[in-house]
Amino acid sequence: MNTENYISKYCQIENNTVFVNGEKLFELKDVGFSEFIKNAYKEFEIEYPKFFKMDNLSKLAFVTSEIILKDVCEKDQENDIAIVFANQSSSLDTDVKYQNSIQDKENYFPSPAVFVYTLPNICVGEISIKHQLKSENAFFVFENFNTKFITNYANQLIKSRKAESVLCGWVEFYQEKYKSFVYLVSKDGLLFHNEKNINTLYNK
C-alpha cells in the first residue's frame, strides 16, 4: 500500500502574476491589488458573488484556492478536502484600516461593516461553502511559512482518514504586500509531498 502523499496541483500569486504548476497564466502590471485580483477573478471565470464583499486577504485566498479546486471538486457534492492555511499578519491589514478610521477625527466613520468579510476564518469558510468541504479546516499564524508543521499536519489528516485530500498553503496580505502559495495534497500527483519540494516551489 502506498503511504506517500503527493502535491497534485499548486498555484502561486504575487507581483500581480498568477502561476499554476509553475506556468505563468495571468499577469497584470501597473495596477493596484484590488484591480489585479478582480481581473484575475474574471480571467479564471470564477463565479461567486460574495467575492466582492471580501477583504483583500480573503480575496487572495479565495482566488488562489478556486484556481486549484474548480477542476478538482465535484460540483454540488460534498468533497472530502481539508484546508490548512497560514500567514504572518492574520487580518491585520483590515484591522489597521479600521484603526485609521477611528483616529481620523475629521472623517470619523468607523463601521463594523469593515469586518463583514474579513478575518482568516472567512478565507477557509467561503472556500468550504463554495465546494461543500466538510473536513477539518484551520488557519495558523507563524512568523514565516512553517513548512515542517504544515507538511506533518496535512499528512496526518490523510493518514488518520480525516480527509482524502488537503488544501495547504501560505496566504499573506498586509498593506499591498502579498503572496499566496497554495497546493493540493492527495494520494497521487506531480511531486512527493515533503518539506524539500514545498520549499523549492515556494521560493521559485
Side-chain angles (χ1 to χ4, degrees):
M1 180 179 176
N2 183 17
T3 58
E4 291 281 0
N5 296 317
Y6 293 82
I7 299 168
S8 58
K9 189 174 183 179
Y10 59 97
C11 178
Q12 189 161 322
I13 300 180
E14 61 179 330
N15 299 323
N16 286 20
T17 308
V18 178
F19 295 90
V20 179
N21 292 348
E23 181 182 358
K24 183 194 295 186
L25 294 187
F26 179 71
E27 183 178 43
L28 185 62
K29 296 295 187 181
D30 302 320
V31 299
F33 175 80
S34 294
E35 186 68 18
F36 161 74
I37 203 68
K38 181 174 68 176
N39 278 275
Y41 172 93
K42 294 177 181 177
E43 174 71 18
F44 291 95
E45 300 179 342
I46 300 170
E47 296 182 7
Y48 197 66
K50 287 191 283 185
F51 168 83
F52 298 98
K53 297 181 180 180
M54 297 178 188
D55 70 323
N56 287 330
L57 173 65
S58 297
K59 285 180 178 178
L60 179 62
F62 187 84
V63 169
T64 314
S65 301
E66 185 66 15
I67 290 170
I68 293 174
L69 294 177
K70 68 176 185 175
D71 296 325
V72 173
C73 291
E74 294 291 335
K75 191 175 182 180
D76 300 324
Q77 293 185 29
E78 183 175 325
N79 293 279
D80 190 14
I81 301 174
I83 302 176
V84 182
F85 283 171
N87 77 0
Q88 183 181 58
S89 302
S90 186
S91 59
L92 187 59
D93 183 74
T94 299
D95 299 341
V96 168
K97 289 176 182 175
Y98 185 75
Q99 180 64 31
N100 290 341
S101 73
I102 294 174
Q103 292 176 330
D104 188 346
K105 299 186 185 303
E106 295 182 2
N107 296 287
Y108 186 78
F109 295 111
S111 170
V114 172
F115 297 106
V116 170
Y117 269 89
T118 186
L119 304 177
N121 64 318
I122 296 298
C123 296
V124 297
E126 290 299 337
I127 296 164
S128 297
I129 292 169
K130 174 72 163 58
H131 294 289
Q132 297 190 45
L133 310 185
K134 304 295 177 68
S135 298
E136 183 170 335
N137 62 64
F139 199 115
F140 298 96
V141 178
F142 297 117
E143 185 174 352
N144 297 294
F145 186 23
N146 191 331
T147 53
K148 181 177 181 179
F149 178 89
I150 297 296
T151 302
N152 290 340
Y153 199 107
N155 286 340
Q156 184 58 36
L157 286 173
I158 295 174
K159 182 180 179 180
S160 61
R161 298 185 179 178
K162 290 183 177 179
E164 186 176 293
S165 303
V166 185
L167 189 69
C168 301
W170 178 261
V171 186
E172 168 69 10
F173 189 101
Y174 183 60
Q175 296 186 337
E176 292 295 311
K177 294 181 179 180
Y178 66 91
K179 177 171 182 172
S180 68
F181 170 66
V182 176
Y183 55 95
L184 186 66
V185 182
S186 57
K187 283 297 181 182
D188 51 59
L190 304 170
L191 296 165
F192 285 120
H193 179 234
N194 56 43
E195 290 179 62
K196 180 181 178 181
N197 286 335
I198 294 169
N199 282 326
T200 298
L201 297 177
Y202 177 80
N203 290 310
K204 274 188 174 181

